[in-house]
Amino acid sequence: MAYDKFNVLTSTVVPLPTENVDTDQIIPARFLKATEREGFGDNLFRDWRYDVEGNPKKDFVLNDSTYSGKILLSGRNFGSGSSREHAVWALYDYGFRCVVSSFFADIFKNNCLNIGVLPVTISPEFADVLFAAVEADPSTEVEVDIDKQKITLLSTGQSESFDINAYKKENMKNGFDDIDYLLNLKGEIEEFEKGRA
């Protein structure tokens, strides 16, 4: 499935300082029956966002109009638990294009890169800086530059570099998943095949 190209993202930030957020909290198992990748955003953090009667919980950040943006800033160990890629579908469908944390579960991180959500790993110290800046001013913007592999707090210029696999980086920049990447090479593959006939 093709997704939005990612080059430079400048956005306000939604802060979720909770640590050890597992995939069942991101998208509860009862919502995994759907096979289409759309509609999962409605149930992102469902049990944290809504009470048993379906009313929004006022104290949860996604229900707080003070915060908005395409960047989710989370506490350490985001995306642990089961390997469900639906968790990333939910983040993407809700509108997040980048998740920032000081640690990600490996499978979750790879799922992000396959679906078009950039996982940016930063130091715990820089995470604290970002959380403090957003708390002090919710209109604070952060820039994520995938070419430079750098995340910057624009109000102060403080920044850190982040790692990303070169193949996944190019796919993110082009909006490709693995199948799109191969389809993009169709002409070259056909030429190669002709030479071997």
XYZ file of all heavy atoms in Angstrom, residues 27-118:
742
model
N -3.988 -0.364 19.860
C -5.212 -0.822 19.204
C -5.637 -2.140 19.858
O -4.995 -3.172 19.651
C -5.053 -0.958 17.662
C -6.375 -1.330 16.989
C -3.955 -1.930 17.301
C -7.360 -0.207 16.900
N -6.666 -2.114 20.681
C -7.097 -3.333 21.375
C -7.441 -4.469 20.418
O -7.918 -4.250 19.302
C -8.335 -2.863 22.150
C -8.105 -1.395 22.363
C -7.435 -0.931 21.106
N -7.219 -5.694 20.874
C -7.365 -6.889 20.034
C -8.751 -7.036 19.430
O -8.899 -7.581 18.331
C -7.019 -8.131 20.847
N -9.767 -6.534 20.103
C -11.131 -6.716 19.588
C -11.384 -5.946 18.294
O -12.402 -6.164 17.628
C -12.155 -6.325 20.648
C -12.144 -4.865 21.068
C -13.082 -4.650 22.251
N -13.173 -3.265 22.676
C -12.305 -2.670 23.487
N -11.262 -3.348 23.965
N -12.474 -1.407 23.834
N -10.458 -5.068 17.913
C -10.630 -4.294 16.682
C -9.771 -4.825 15.531
O -9.608 -4.147 14.516
C -10.297 -2.819 16.932
C -11.195 -2.171 17.948
C -10.717 -1.818 19.194
C -12.535 -1.946 17.662
C -11.539 -1.230 20.136
C -13.372 -1.364 18.604
C -12.872 -1.006 19.846
N -9.243 -6.034 15.681
C -8.325 -6.552 14.663
C -9.007 -7.371 13.580
O -8.337 -7.889 12.699
C -7.237 -7.409 15.328
C -6.412 -6.730 16.424
C -5.288 -7.650 16.859
C -5.868 -5.392 15.969
N -10.306 -7.481 13.614
C -11.003 -8.327 12.650
C -11.023 -7.729 11.246
O -11.100 -8.456 10.265
C -12.435 -8.589 13.122
C -12.492 -9.391 14.412
C -13.910 -9.527 14.907
C -13.938 -10.254 16.247
N -15.291 -10.323 16.811
N -10.982 -6.428 11.139
C -11.034 -5.775 9.823
C -9.766 -6.075 9.029
O -8.674 -6.199 9.589
C -11.203 -4.270 9.996
N -9.919 -6.195 7.720
C -8.762 -6.463 6.862
C -8.344 -5.227 6.071
O -7.233 -5.168 5.571
C -9.064 -7.606 5.880
O -10.253 -7.292 5.157
C -9.248 -8.917 6.628
N -9.236 -4.249 5.939
C -8.872 -2.990 5.292
C -8.038 -2.167 6.265
O -8.197 -2.271 7.479
C -10.129 -2.212 4.901
C -10.976 -2.898 3.843
C -10.280 -3.008 2.502
O -9.591 -2.064 2.111
O -10.416 -4.054 1.848
N -7.182 -1.321 5.720
C -6.295 -0.541 6.584
C -6.895 0.789 7.021
O -6.207 1.602 7.618
C -4.965 -0.293 5.860
C -4.211 -1.571 5.569
C -2.863 -1.300 4.975
N -2.200 -2.538 4.637
C -0.941 -2.628 4.248
N -0.215 -1.550 4.135
N -0.417 -3.791 3.961
N -8.139 1.006 6.709
C -8.778 2.277 7.052
C -9.735 2.096 8.228
O -10.279 1.017 8.437
C -9.520 2.825 5.833
C -8.597 3.129 4.663
C -9.343 3.537 3.411
O -10.585 3.460 3.422
O -8.684 3.918 2.439
N -9.937 3.171 8.969
C -10.874 3.149 10.079
C -10.277 2.810 11.423
O -10.944 2.947 12.451
N -9.022 2.382 11.434
C -8.394 2.011 12.704
C -8.122 3.225 13.587
O -8.053 3.116 14.808
C -7.100 1.238 12.466
C -7.312 -0.184 12.037
C -7.281 -0.533 10.699
C -7.569 -1.182 12.961
C -7.491 -1.843 10.296
C -7.790 -2.489 12.573
C -7.748 -2.823 11.239
N -7.965 4.389 12.976
C -7.686 5.593 13.748
C -8.781 5.929 14.747
O -8.527 6.518 15.805
N -10.012 5.541 14.414
C -11.136 5.802 15.329
C -10.964 5.072 16.656
O -11.517 5.495 17.672
C -12.451 5.355 14.687
C -12.832 6.192 13.475
O -12.332 7.326 13.363
O -13.617 5.702 12.645
N -10.227 3.974 16.622
C -10.046 3.169 17.829
C -8.616 3.202 18.366
O -8.251 2.375 19.209
C -10.493 1.729 17.551
C -11.974 1.663 17.273
O -12.780 2.161 18.047
N -12.351 1.081 16.140
N -7.828 4.146 17.891
C -6.482 4.327 18.430
C -6.576 4.658 19.919
O -7.326 5.557 20.310
C -5.773 5.474 17.687
C -4.382 5.854 18.187
C -3.389 4.720 17.949
C -3.898 7.146 17.498
N -5.851 3.915 20.745
C -5.887 4.092 22.206
C -7.324 4.054 22.734
O -7.688 4.796 23.647
C -5.207 5.399 22.620
C -3.748 5.480 22.282
C -3.281 6.430 21.384
C -2.839 4.614 22.855
C -1.928 6.505 21.065
C -1.488 4.677 22.550
C -1.032 5.632 21.641
N -8.144 3.185 22.157
C -9.581 3.165 22.454
C -9.891 3.141 23.951
O -10.717 3.928 24.442
C -10.211 1.933 21.789
C -11.699 1.770 22.069
C -12.521 2.769 21.296
N -13.901 2.793 21.743
C -14.891 3.305 21.035
N -14.644 3.817 19.841
N -16.122 3.323 21.506
N -9.239 2.257 24.683
C -9.582 2.120 26.106
C -9.052 3.262 26.954
O -9.507 3.445 28.093
C -9.088 0.774 26.642
C -9.793 -0.400 25.977
O -10.934 -0.213 25.493
O -9.206 -1.497 25.919
N -8.099 4.010 26.429
C -7.600 5.194 27.122
C -8.408 6.436 26.732
O -8.548 7.352 27.523
C -6.121 5.421 26.807
C -5.213 4.405 27.422
C -5.540 3.389 28.271
C -3.801 4.317 27.230
N -4.426 2.677 28.621
C -3.339 3.219 28.000
C -2.873 5.039 26.493
C -1.996 2.838 28.055
C -1.536 4.672 26.533
C -1.101 3.573 27.309
N -8.944 6.425 25.502
C -9.674 7.598 24.990
C -11.119 7.651 25.448
O -11.679 8.739 25.603
C -9.661 7.604 23.459
C -8.389 8.107 22.845
C -8.375 7.835 21.347
N -9.265 8.671 20.592
C -9.506 8.492 19.285
N -8.926 7.497 18.628
N -10.317 9.300 18.648
N -11.743 6.463 25.607
C -13.181 6.423 25.876
C -13.515 5.562 27.090
O -12.823 4.583 27.371
C -13.924 5.861 24.660
C -13.680 6.641 23.390
C -12.774 6.178 22.434
C -14.349 7.841 23.147
C -12.537 6.899 21.269
C -14.123 8.557 21.988
C -13.217 8.086 21.053
O -12.986 8.798 19.909
N -14.600 5.925 27.771
C -15.070 5.082 28.864
C -15.918 3.944 28.294
O -16.092 3.835 27.074
C -15.834 5.907 29.914
C -17.106 6.556 29.375
O -17.660 6.071 28.358
O -17.562 7.551 29.973
N -16.455 3.094 29.139
C -17.193 1.910 28.685
C -18.464 2.273 27.917
O -18.989 1.474 27.141
C -17.543 0.969 29.856
C -16.286 0.344 30.428
C -18.329 1.702 30.935
N -18.949 3.483 28.098
C -20.140 3.934 27.387
C -19.796 4.670 26.096
O -20.686 5.146 25.391
C -20.982 4.832 28.300
C -21.533 4.087 29.522
C -22.278 5.008 30.468
O -22.212 6.244 30.280
O -22.925 4.489 31.389
N -18.496 4.762 25.801
C -18.076 5.416 24.562
C -17.907 6.917 24.661
O -17.751 7.599 23.635
N -17.895 7.444 25.870
C -17.699 8.888 26.052
C -16.208 9.209 26.162
O -15.467 8.484 26.835
C -18.402 9.356 27.333
C -19.886 9.081 27.293
O -20.561 9.448 26.342
N -20.393 8.416 28.330
N -15.747 10.276 25.499
C -14.332 10.644 25.580
C -13.903 10.952 27.012
O -14.630 11.618 27.752
C -14.243 11.905 24.710
C -15.436 11.839 23.812
C -16.508 11.172 24.619
N -12.747 10.434 27.387
C -12.181 10.738 28.700
C -11.431 12.061 28.598
O -10.471 12.178 27.828
C -11.230 9.624 29.140
C -11.909 8.281 29.358
C -10.899 7.226 29.786
C -11.535 5.868 29.996
N -10.533 4.842 30.367
N -11.847 13.033 29.382
C -11.300 14.387 29.262
C -9.814 14.467 29.578
O -9.117 15.358 29.089
C -12.072 15.341 30.182
C -13.517 15.549 29.756
C -14.231 16.494 30.694
C -15.685 16.681 30.272
N -16.424 17.583 31.186
N -9.326 13.534 30.400
C -7.937 13.629 30.837
C -6.957 12.930 29.892
O -5.752 12.914 30.158
C -7.768 13.077 32.255
C -8.166 11.608 32.356
O -8.808 11.094 31.423
O -7.834 10.986 33.383
N -7.450 12.371 28.762
C -6.530 11.720 27.823
C -6.122 12.705 26.742
O -6.949 13.441 26.203
C -7.149 10.468 27.203
C -6.165 9.697 26.367
C -5.027 9.149 26.944
C -6.352 9.560 25.002
C -4.093 8.469 26.179
C -5.431 8.876 24.226
C -4.302 8.324 24.816
N -4.860 12.685 26.391
C -4.283 13.724 25.541
C -4.955 13.847 24.172
O -5.089 14.949 23.635
C -2.750 13.531 25.406
C -2.425 12.256 24.605
C -2.097 14.761 24.792
N -5.400 12.739 23.574
C -6.037 12.844 22.260
C -7.401 13.528 22.329
O -7.946 13.940 21.306
C -6.194 11.462 21.607
C -4.911 10.716 21.228
C -5.242 9.519 20.341
C -3.903 11.610 20.537
N -7.943 13.640 23.535
C -9.217 14.339 23.723
C -9.020 15.773 24.213
O -9.995 16.463 24.521
C -10.091 13.570 24.723
C -10.438 12.183 24.223
O -10.620 11.970 23.035
N -10.535 11.234 25.148
N -7.781 16.205 24.283
C -7.440 17.545 24.772
C -7.097 18.420 23.577
O -6.067 18.230 22.925
C -6.249 17.446 25.738
C -5.899 18.773 26.383
O -6.395 19.819 25.914
O -5.101 18.766 27.337
N -7.941 19.377 23.272
C -7.741 20.233 22.094
C -6.509 21.127 22.209
O -6.103 21.768 21.238
C -8.982 21.093 21.850
O -9.232 21.927 22.971
N -5.894 21.134 23.383
C -4.653 21.902 23.561
C -3.548 21.352 22.665
O -2.688 22.100 22.195
C -4.186 21.817 25.037
O -5.241 22.249 25.876
C -2.949 22.675 25.274
N -3.591 20.043 22.423
C -2.514 19.385 21.684
C -3.016 18.815 20.361
O -4.108 18.244 20.290
C -1.912 18.250 22.519
C -1.355 18.719 23.839
C -2.055 18.514 25.026
C -0.137 19.379 23.900
C -1.552 18.946 26.237
C 0.374 19.822 25.111
C -0.334 19.608 26.276
O 0.168 20.050 27.469
N -2.203 18.973 19.349
C -2.506 18.401 18.035
C -1.197 18.283 17.268
O -0.162 18.788 17.696
C -3.495 19.283 17.264
O -2.904 20.544 16.990
N -1.254 17.630 16.127
C -0.059 17.536 15.296
C 0.125 16.159 14.697
O -0.618 15.212 15.013
N 1.120 16.043 13.854
C 1.417 14.784 13.164
C 2.540 14.009 13.829
O 2.951 12.967 13.339
C 1.774 15.064 11.702
C 0.610 15.634 10.905
C 0.967 15.779 9.441
C -0.246 16.249 8.645
N 0.029 16.292 7.198
N 3.051 14.545 14.948
C 4.133 13.894 15.684
C 3.614 13.468 17.053
O 3.079 14.291 17.809
C 5.347 14.825 15.852
C 5.920 15.220 14.480
C 6.422 14.168 16.712
C 7.019 16.275 14.538
N 3.765 12.185 17.374
C 3.435 11.670 18.702
C 4.737 11.489 19.462
O 5.635 10.769 19.006
C 2.695 10.339 18.593
C 2.348 9.649 19.922
C 1.341 10.482 20.713
C 1.800 8.243 19.675
N 4.853 12.143 20.603
C 6.032 12.024 21.462
C 5.661 11.139 22.631
O 4.779 11.468 23.430
C 6.462 13.413 21.953
C 7.577 13.477 22.999
C 8.880 12.908 22.444
C 7.769 14.918 23.476
N 6.306 9.979 22.734
C 5.935 9.003 23.755
C 7.074 8.724 24.719
O 8.243 9.008 24.439
C 5.500 7.699 23.080
O 5.111 6.751 24.061
N 6.691 8.123 25.840
C 7.684 7.663 26.799
C 8.444 6.457 26.261
O 8.167 5.948 25.174
N 9.399 5.990 27.036
C 10.279 4.893 26.635
C 9.521 3.585 26.412
O 8.537 3.312 27.072
C 11.347 4.691 27.723
C 12.330 3.578 27.434
C 13.399 3.478 28.508
N 14.228 2.299 28.298
C 15.200 2.202 27.418
N 15.477 3.253 26.643
N 15.909 1.104 27.271
N 10.005 2.799 25.469
C 9.488 1.464 25.155
C 8.081 1.536 24.558
O 7.126 0.974 25.086
C 9.506 0.548 26.378
C 9.307 -0.914 25.989
O 9.579 -1.313 24.861
N 8.831 -1.706 26.932
N 7.974 2.204 23.433
C 6.704 2.334 22.733
C 6.565 1.204 21.718
O 7.483 0.920 20.963
C 6.641 3.686 22.009
C 5.290 3.996 21.438
C 4.296 4.557 22.229
C 4.998 3.725 20.107
C 3.051 4.848 21.712
C 3.752 4.010 19.579
C 2.775 4.574 20.383
N 5.383 0.561 21.694
C 5.118 -0.480 20.708
C 5.552 -1.870 21.121
O 5.770 -2.730 20.269
N 5.667 -2.103 22.400
C 6.042 -3.442 22.881
C 4.829 -4.366 22.785
O 3.746 -3.955 22.396
C 6.540 -3.365 24.328
O 5.534 -2.811 25.157
N 5.016 -5.629 23.138
C 3.905 -6.566 23.101
C 3.823 -7.300 21.776
O 4.844 -7.547 21.126
N 2.606 -7.630 21.357
C 2.420 -8.426 20.143
C 2.854 -7.652 18.905
O 2.964 -6.429 18.919
C 0.960 -8.855 20.007
O 0.142 -7.752 19.698
N 3.054 -8.398 17.820
C 3.635 -7.797 16.614
C 2.616 -7.157 15.688
O 2.943 -6.794 14.579
C 4.409 -8.868 15.840
O 3.523 -9.901 15.430
N 1.381 -7.004 16.115
C 0.304 -6.549 15.217
C 0.630 -5.241 14.495
O 0.885 -4.215 15.104
C -1.008 -6.423 15.987
C -1.013 -5.322 17.025
C -2.265 -5.361 17.887
N -2.287 -6.523 18.760
C -3.075 -6.655 19.814
N -3.919 -5.697 20.121
N -3.034 -7.729 20.570
N 0.610 -5.318 13.165
C 0.852 -4.106 12.379
C -0.356 -3.174 12.415
O -0.252 -1.998 12.067
C 1.236 -4.453 10.947
C 0.189 -5.156 10.148
C 0.641 -5.485 8.732
O 1.831 -5.312 8.406
O -0.208 -5.917 7.952
N -1.501 -3.687 12.870
C -2.694 -2.851 13.003
C -2.427 -1.643 13.908
O -3.071 -0.608 13.753
C -3.849 -3.666 13.604
C -4.226 -4.864 12.797
N -3.422 -5.986 12.713
C -5.327 -5.137 12.047
C -4.018 -6.885 11.948
N -5.178 -6.402 11.534
N -1.496 -1.792 14.851
C -1.170 -0.673 15.736
C -0.640 0.506 14.926
O -1.001 1.661 15.174
C -0.138 -1.107 16.780
N 0.186 0.213 13.944
C 0.728 1.288 13.101
C -0.341 1.795 12.142
O -0.421 2.990 11.861
C 1.985 0.835 12.346
C 2.595 2.012 11.589
C 3.011 0.245 13.302
N -1.185 0.896 11.630
C -2.299 1.348 10.783
C -3.142 2.370 11.545
O -3.588 3.369 10.974
C -3.192 0.181 10.385
C -2.583 -0.855 9.503
C -1.327 -0.854 8.956
C -3.198 -2.076 9.066
N -1.133 -1.991 8.221
C -2.259 -2.753 8.262
C -4.450 -2.643 9.282
C -2.539 -3.990 7.680
C -4.729 -3.871 8.696
C -3.783 -4.532 7.905
N -3.378 2.101 12.837
C -4.192 3.009 13.649
C -3.515 4.368 13.800
O -4.160 5.412 13.684
C -4.465 2.388 15.016
N -2.222 4.373 14.058
C -1.477 5.634 14.178
C -1.528 6.418 12.878
O -1.783 7.631 12.861
C -0.021 5.349 14.569
C 0.202 4.851 15.991
C 1.580 4.214 16.127
C 0.051 6.006 16.990
N -1.286 5.710 11.763
C -1.278 6.359 10.446
C -2.672 6.887 10.103
O -2.823 8.026 9.641
C -0.796 5.374 9.380
C -0.613 5.987 8.010
C 0.624 6.508 7.626
C -1.665 6.048 7.094
C 0.801 7.075 6.377
C -1.500 6.619 5.844
C -0.264 7.126 5.488
O -0.096 7.703 4.255
N -3.682 6.070 10.324
C -5.054 6.452 9.986
C -5.526 7.639 10.831
O -6.303 8.474 10.357
C -5.993 5.254 10.182
C -7.371 5.493 9.596
O -7.457 5.803 8.391
O -8.366 5.361 10.325
N -5.033 7.734 12.051
C -5.390 8.866 12.915
C -4.759 10.162 12.404
O -5.296 11.246 12.599
C -4.944 8.589 14.352
C -5.375 9.659 15.319
C -6.663 9.657 15.869
C -4.502 10.685 15.685
C -7.066 10.659 16.752
C -4.894 11.681 16.564
C -6.168 11.665 17.087
O -6.561 12.657 17.965
N -3.607 10.039 11.754
C -2.938 11.225 11.219
C -1.504 11.415 11.647
O -0.841 12.371 11.236
N -0.982 10.495 12.464
C 0.410 10.604 12.876
C 1.319 10.124 11.748
O 1.068 9.095 11.124
C 0.690 9.790 14.145
C 0.072 10.381 15.380
C -0.885 9.679 16.104
C 0.449 11.637 15.820
C -1.462 10.222 17.245
C -0.126 12.199 16.964
C -1.088 11.483 17.675
N 2.390 10.871 11.495
C 3.379 10.483 10.489
C 4.730 10.196 11.115
O 5.656 9.733 10.455
C 3.516 11.581 9.419
C 2.272 11.769 8.574
C 1.947 10.504 7.792
N 0.685 10.586 7.082
C -0.472 10.123 7.530
N -0.524 9.531 8.727
N -1.568 10.208 6.828
N 4.847 10.482 12.424
C 6.112 10.264 13.122
C 5.819 9.983 14.591
O 4.960 10.636 15.190
C 6.985 11.512 12.981
S 8.578 11.425 13.828
N 6.517 8.982 15.139
C 6.464 8.709 16.575
C 7.885 8.854 17.109
O 8.825 8.292 16.544
C 5.926 7.296 16.879
C 5.886 7.061 18.382
C 4.535 7.107 16.283
N 8.019 9.606 18.178
C 9.328 9.874 18.784
C 9.360 9.254 20.172
O 8.440 9.449 20.965
C 9.585 11.397 18.870
C 10.947 11.675 19.508
C 9.482 12.044 17.488
N 10.408 8.491 20.447
C 10.558 7.849 21.751
C 12.035 7.569 21.994
O 12.834 7.555 21.049
C 9.755 6.541 21.797
O 9.952 5.857 23.022
N 12.382 7.300 23.241
C 13.778 6.950 23.532
C 14.046 5.463 23.316
O 15.187 5.026 23.361
C 14.153 7.364 24.961
O 13.307 6.731 25.897
N 12.963 4.670 23.072
C 13.152 3.253 22.756
C 11.887 2.690 22.125
O 10.780 2.969 22.589
C 13.478 2.446 24.020
C 13.724 0.983 23.743
C 14.957 0.550 23.273
C 12.714 0.055 23.906
C 15.179 -0.788 22.992
C 12.916 -1.287 23.632
C 14.161 -1.711 23.171
N 12.081 1.907 21.044
C 10.975 1.224 20.381
C 11.222 -0.284 20.388
O 12.369 -0.731 20.264
C 10.863 1.647 18.912
C 10.411 3.053 18.694
C 11.329 4.061 18.423
C 9.061 3.377 18.735
C 10.920 5.355 18.206
C 8.638 4.674 18.521
C 9.562 5.673 18.259
N 10.148 -1.050 20.459
C 10.250 -2.490 20.223
C 10.619 -2.692 18.755
O 10.115 -1.987 17.871
C 8.920 -3.165 20.540
N 11.520 -3.642 18.469
C 12.039 -3.822 17.114
C 10.965 -4.121 16.077
O 10.968 -3.545 14.988
C 13.090 -4.941 17.084
C 14.410 -4.517 17.699
O 14.644 -3.288 17.806
O 15.200 -5.388 18.075
N 10.047 -5.041 16.386
C 9.022 -5.410 15.412
C 8.120 -4.215 15.122
O 7.779 -3.930 13.968
C 8.198 -6.623 15.895
C 9.087 -7.861 15.956
C 7.007 -6.875 14.975
C 8.416 -9.089 16.548
N 7.761 -3.482 16.157
C 6.926 -2.296 15.968
C 7.656 -1.272 15.082
O 7.066 -0.681 14.182
C 6.567 -1.667 17.309
C 5.795 -0.390 17.176
C 4.426 -0.413 16.990
C 6.447 0.835 17.229
C 3.722 0.774 16.837
C 5.746 2.021 17.081
C 4.380 1.990 16.886
N 8.926 -1.086 15.352
C 9.712 -0.123 14.577
C 9.727 -0.509 13.095
O 9.539 0.346 12.219
C 11.144 -0.067 15.125
C 12.006 1.020 14.524
C 13.345 1.091 15.244
C 14.179 2.250 14.730
N 15.459 2.364 15.463
N 9.922 -1.785 12.802
C 9.914 -2.243 11.409
C 8.539 -2.092 10.781
O 8.428 -1.716 9.602
C 10.389 -3.701 11.330
C 11.875 -3.829 11.576
O 12.646 -2.930 11.248
N 12.298 -4.931 12.161
N 7.484 -2.372 11.542
C 6.136 -2.172 11.022
C 5.895 -0.708 10.661
O 5.266 -0.400 9.639
C 5.085 -2.640 12.040
C 4.955 -4.143 12.110
O 5.324 -4.860 11.187
N 4.417 -4.636 13.214
N 6.385 0.193 11.498
C 6.263 1.625 11.200
C 6.891 1.956 9.854
O 6.286 2.632 9.009
C 6.957 2.450 12.295
S 6.027 2.657 13.810
N 8.102 1.475 9.641
C 8.823 1.778 8.411
C 8.154 1.167 7.187
O 8.294 1.680 6.075
C 10.273 1.294 8.520
C 11.120 2.051 9.545
C 12.437 1.333 9.787
C 11.369 3.487 9.098
N 7.410 0.084 7.376
C 6.701 -0.553 6.267
C 5.386 0.140 5.937
O 4.861 -0.037 4.842
C 6.404 -2.023 6.590
C 7.644 -2.882 6.581
O 8.632 -2.561 5.922
N 7.621 -3.976 7.325
N 4.874 0.930 6.869
C 3.536 1.499 6.712
C 3.548 3.013 6.520
O 2.553 3.603 6.127
C 2.649 1.059 7.903
C 2.429 -0.461 7.825
C 1.322 1.771 7.955
C 1.781 -1.072 9.043
N 4.682 3.659 6.751
C 4.763 5.087 6.483
C 4.750 5.987 7.700
O 4.525 7.191 7.593
N 5.004 5.411 8.878
C 5.142 6.202 10.096
C 6.613 6.146 10.500
O 7.153 5.062 10.730
C 4.254 5.647 11.241
C 4.494 6.424 12.531
C 2.789 5.691 10.845
N 7.261 7.292 10.563
C 8.694 7.313 10.868
C 8.925 7.188 12.369
O 8.498 8.050 13.141
C 9.333 8.595 10.350
C 10.841 8.722 10.577
C 11.602 7.652 9.789
C 11.337 10.109 10.200
